[in-house]
Amino acid sequence: MDLVHLQRQLVDYRTSLYHEGFLDEQFTQLQSLQDENNPDFVVEVVSLFFEDSERLLNELSKALEQQIIDFKRMDAQVHQLKGSSSSIGAHRVQKLCIVFRNYCEAQNVEGCLKCLQQVKHEYGIIKTKLESMFQLEQQILNAGGSIPV
Amino acid sequence: MSGNGASSSSLNMISGEDVVNNNFSALVVDDSPLLRLLHDIHLKKYGLKVQVAENGKVAVDLFHLGASFDLVLMDKEMPVMNGVEATKELRAMGVTSMIVGVTSKDGPGEQQAFMEAGLDYCFEKPLTPEIISFLLEELNKHHNKD
């Protein structure tokens, strides 16, 4: 695939992520902070988001398997996940965390279980999409091109 | 957004010169490595010298050891010592740095309790370029008064 084609594919892909509500303007803010002094900033921040999210989702799964569920601790963990997803513009994950927190507050086990599955699902999707986007960017750079804004 | 007279009309972009030519220092206090990195890079882009701390106790200990910062970005919910406790302790120590609380999109009651601990301003995280420009403008005003 030629360079122009790759660049067009990236722009279209990125646009679709915003259009379909996977990303919001916070991701644009993140990109604006990347420059020659911090050339890998977006990948670094997104990698931290992946690490954070996977750890928190594992902890939430374990918490919901317990005989006695610590809803307060779970709420704190969902709060953290909401914060990090909001910081990178992972809009759908963030929105689900708000619902999840309401179920934690209400100590609704069924609601929490359902939300956890939904968050895991949305997280899986955004992780795949961001990784695909970064791969496209790398292909463009390897072909000697620049990443279109 | 809460603060001493902070309003959207005062959130004006400062000049490029003000952004680069400042000697302001900042401490980012947040238990999230992601938020620490985000705010660290963001503030550095505006020319500030930045240090980070992973909770309120680390921040308070830094001040006890004689460190000083023009600006402290204080997360609210942190383990060991949260933002409310840390802010109260810093003010009790006589710290006059600008302390800016950063909270999640939760109720106004959350921001009010945090403000009463001794904050100068409180914003939702993450901070936007407009808010950082506003804070730099306020730091410049205080600096010029001294």
Side-chain angles (χ1 to χ4, degrees):
Chain A
M1 201 183 283
D2 65 52
L3 182 58
V4 170
H5 208 135
L6 277 173
Q7 288 170 326
R8 196 173 302 137
Q9 192 181 355
L10 175 64
V11 169
D12 289 345
Y13 193 68
R14 246 183 350 219
T15 305
S16 73
L17 293 182
Y18 286 95
H19 189 68
E20 291 165 31
F22 289 107
L23 294 178
D24 62 29
E25 65 279 357
Q26 180 56 31
F27 191 77
T28 313
Q29 296 275 15
L30 216 63
Q31 289 180 305
S32 72
L33 291 174
Q34 183 159 299
D35 58 20
E36 57 277 3
N37 295 321
N38 301 288
D40 302 314
F41 175 65
V42 175
V43 169
E44 281 177 21
V45 172
V46 171
S47 298
L48 279 173
F49 166 67
F50 291 160
E51 279 173 33
D52 249 4
S53 302
E54 279 157 33
R55 175 183 58 83
L56 289 166
L57 289 170
N58 278 338
E59 287 177 13
L60 286 164
S61 296
K62 284 184 190 152
L64 281 165
E65 286 166 8
Q66 302 307 308
Q67 288 270 32
I68 298 170
I69 295 174
D70 187 345
F71 285 101
K72 194 173 171 197
R73 187 170 150 79
M74 269 182 44
D75 181 63
Q77 287 163 338
V78 178
H79 176 78
Q80 278 186 55
L81 184 57
K82 182 167 86 89
S84 57
S85 57
S86 158
S87 299
I88 71 135
H91 189 74
R92 289 194 189 186
V93 175
Q94 183 211 339
K95 288 292 169 208
L96 279 170
C97 287
I98 295 171
V99 178
F100 201 157
R101 284 198 82 186
N102 290 338
Y103 282 125
C104 290
E105 212 177 323
Q107 302 199 0
N108 182 329
V109 177
E110 288 304 313
C112 286
L113 281 165
K114 187 178 149 195
C115 260
L116 177 61
Q117 290 317 308
Q118 288 172 331
V119 172
K120 280 182 174 177
H121 177 70
E122 283 300 333
Y123 166 72
I125 295 174
I126 190 63
K127 184 176 182 200
T128 303
K129 288 192 180 286
L130 285 170
E131 284 173 340
S132 298
M133 193 183 76
F134 292 144
Q135 271 168 19
L136 254 177
E137 287 181 354
Q138 195 55 54
Q139 279 181 271
I140 291 168
L141 292 172
N142 292 345
S146 59
I147 310 295
V149 287
Chain B
M1 178 180 81
S2 314
N4 302 328
S7 67
S8 56
S9 60
S10 57
L11 289 177
N12 295 317
M13 290 295 291
I14 57 174
S15 72
E17 203 179 285
D18 290 327
V19 165
V20 173
N21 296 331
N22 74 72
N23 286 316
F24 296 129
S25 58
L27 177 66
V28 174
V29 191
D30 203 305
D31 61 326
S32 162
L34 193 159
L35 265 300
R36 286 200 301 270
L37 176 63
L38 188 58
H39 286 144
D40 176 29
I41 298 297
H42 210 158
L43 290 172
K44 278 177 176 160
K45 217 168 164 70
Y46 280 75
L48 284 90
K49 290 161 209 52
V50 185
Q51 263 187 256
V52 298
E54 66 260 34
N55 60 57
K57 183 172 187 308
V58 173
V60 167
D61 286 348
L62 278 171
F63 277 92
H64 270 304
L65 289 170
S68 70
F69 302 93
D70 298 294
L71 170 68
V72 178
L73 288 191
M74 185 77 78
D75 182 26
K76 184 169 180 278
E77 295 185 29
M78 295 179 284
V80 185
M81 184 186 284
N82 65 35
V84 174
E85 291 161 4
T87 303
K88 283 182 184 169
E89 195 142 330
L90 289 176
R91 292 306 190 205
M93 282 165 63
V95 168
T96 56
S97 310
M98 182 186 291
I99 304 181
V100 176
V102 278
T103 64
S104 304
K105 284 189 180 84
D106 288 320
E110 184 185 328
Q111 284 201 356
Q112 186 57 39
F114 204 179
M115 285 295 297
E116 284 167 6
L119 297 180
D120 292 286
Y121 302 101
C122 194
F123 296 105
E124 282 170 11
K125 57 173 136 178
L127 299 189
T128 62
E130 289 77 15
I131 289 170
I132 295 179
S133 296
F134 164 75
L135 292 175
L136 273 179
E137 200 176 300
E138 294 301 300
L139 282 172
N140 273 318
K141 279 185 200 165
H142 289 130
H143 183 70
N144 292 335
K145 262 192 211 163
D146 297 339

